[in-house]
Amino acid sequence: MDFPDDLRLAEDSLKQAEKEFLAGTDGIAEALLVKLSAGTFSSDANTARERMQNLDESRYVKWDRWDKIYEFSASFWKDGGYPSISSTTHRASNPDWYSKRTGTTLFVKDMMIHRSLVAPTVDGERKGPPTPLGKPANTWLLDFVVLSSLRLLLKKHWEKLVHDIVMKRSQTSLILVAERLGLTISESLAIAREIRDLDDRVIKHGRDSSKNMTYQCRTPNSSLTPLVDITE
């Protein structure tokens, strides 16, 4: 089993945790972190745990503009592993390749329906003191932050796999990249566009059909050793 397979298994575990989260189960993060800590993604699990322990609830739940209604801060999601989504229309704003691939836009919509908010204060009063780091009044946020952090980290792993392959050579077939990593061609293309150096070119369709679906790197680094590489 190679790294892309490990990534997919980790995503399967994360997907199952998301289902349990939507079902109303609390405390799912700990079991997930223990599972991932024993394998390839132990450092990612540690990063997610640190985010959970230092969770600032005020960054996620807003209440100053309402008397009795509290709002999840959709604007902050873009810094995590889930797509930004409107808290009023429940529509995702420019979902990226990863959210389309994993269906996390639907997860976020369902979360907004299935999870309720309480005042993010120590005493439950609107003007009360804010909750301390890592101890939110909305305890489900602890699970959410772990899920969000892991989603972002796994996304970055996929992007680094593509990055190291295309930056190693002057020209790379994104079709071969997709085949080697088990991605769709459209995903390979989308990732290449996202990680592209400003001096490089990503060609989907051009006048020269032999250049279609290629990444052209202006200053390749032949010393790169991709974790997973293509065979040309």
Side-chain angles (χ1 to χ4, degrees):
M1 182 180 297
D2 61 4
F3 190 71
D5 293 327
D6 287 340
L7 265 176
R8 278 183 277 272
L9 285 177
E11 287 177 327
D12 288 343
S13 296
L14 190 47
K15 189 74 172 180
Q16 181 58 40
E18 287 170 342
K19 290 180 179 178
E20 294 175 15
F21 178 88
L22 292 179
T25 304
D26 286 331
I28 60 170
E30 190 56 41
L32 180 61
L33 290 175
V34 169
K35 182 176 183 179
L36 295 180
S37 293
T40 306
F41 305 102
S42 58
S43 62
D44 295 331
N46 290 336
T47 297
R49 187 183 296 279
E50 289 176 4
R51 284 198 62 191
M52 178 176 67
Q53 293 171 341
N54 294 290
L55 186 154
D56 181 355
E57 188 173 25
S58 67
R59 299 188 68 183
Y60 291 90
V61 181
K62 305 299 181 183
W63 73 96
D64 56 347
R65 70 176 94 171
W66 303 101
D67 289 331
K68 296 182 179 180
I69 299 176
Y70 309 99
E71 182 182 60
F72 195 90
S73 180
S75 62
F76 185 65
W77 296 1
K78 66 181 182 299
D79 299 324
Y82 294 111
S84 176
I85 190 168
S86 169
S87 59
T88 54
T89 66
H90 292 189
R91 291 183 179 179
S93 174
N94 299 318
D96 62 15
W97 74 271
Y98 191 71
S99 60
K100 292 176 181 177
R101 176 178 181 271
T102 57
T104 52
T105 297
L106 182 59
F107 166 76
V108 171
K109 289 180 181 179
D110 287 344
M111 187 196 77
M112 296 180 69
I113 296 172
H114 290 85
R115 291 287 180 165
S116 58
L117 294 172
V118 298
T121 57
V122 172
D123 57 8
E125 297 295 329
R126 179 176 177 273
K127 295 183 178 181
T131 52
L133 295 182
K135 296 183 179 180
N138 296 277
T139 56
W140 56 266
L141 277 174
L142 297 169
D143 291 326
F144 174 81
V145 167
V146 168
L147 296 176
S148 177
S149 179
L150 290 172
R151 276 296 184 196
L152 181 61
L153 291 166
L154 294 184
K155 173 191 173 186
K156 288 182 176 179
H157 281 306
W158 283 115
E159 292 175 350
K160 180 160 180 23
L161 288 175
V162 175
H163 173 276
D164 288 354
I165 293 174
V166 301
M167 295 299 176
K168 179 180 179 179
R169 35 182 71 81
S170 60
Q171 181 166 302
T172 306
S173 166
L174 295 176
I175 296 176
L176 292 180
V177 172
E179 290 175 349
R180 177 62 185 90
L181 299 181
L183 298 168
T184 67
I185 295 175
S186 60
E187 287 167 352
S188 175
L189 178 65
I191 296 173
R193 286 171 170 166
E194 188 158 329
I195 56 92
R196 180 181 74 90
D197 186 274
L198 292 178
D199 292 330
D200 297 346
R201 294 183 65 203
V202 179
I203 303 174
K204 181 178 182 181
H205 297 295
R207 293 181 179 179
D208 183 351
S209 60
S210 67
K211 305 294 184 182
N212 288 351
M213 293 302 301
T214 61
Y215 186 101
Q216 294 183 340
C217 181
R218 185 173 181 179
T219 56
N221 182 0
S222 59
S223 66
L224 272 174
T225 305
L227 189 60
V228 178
D229 207 354
I230 60 174
T231 301
E232 297 181 285

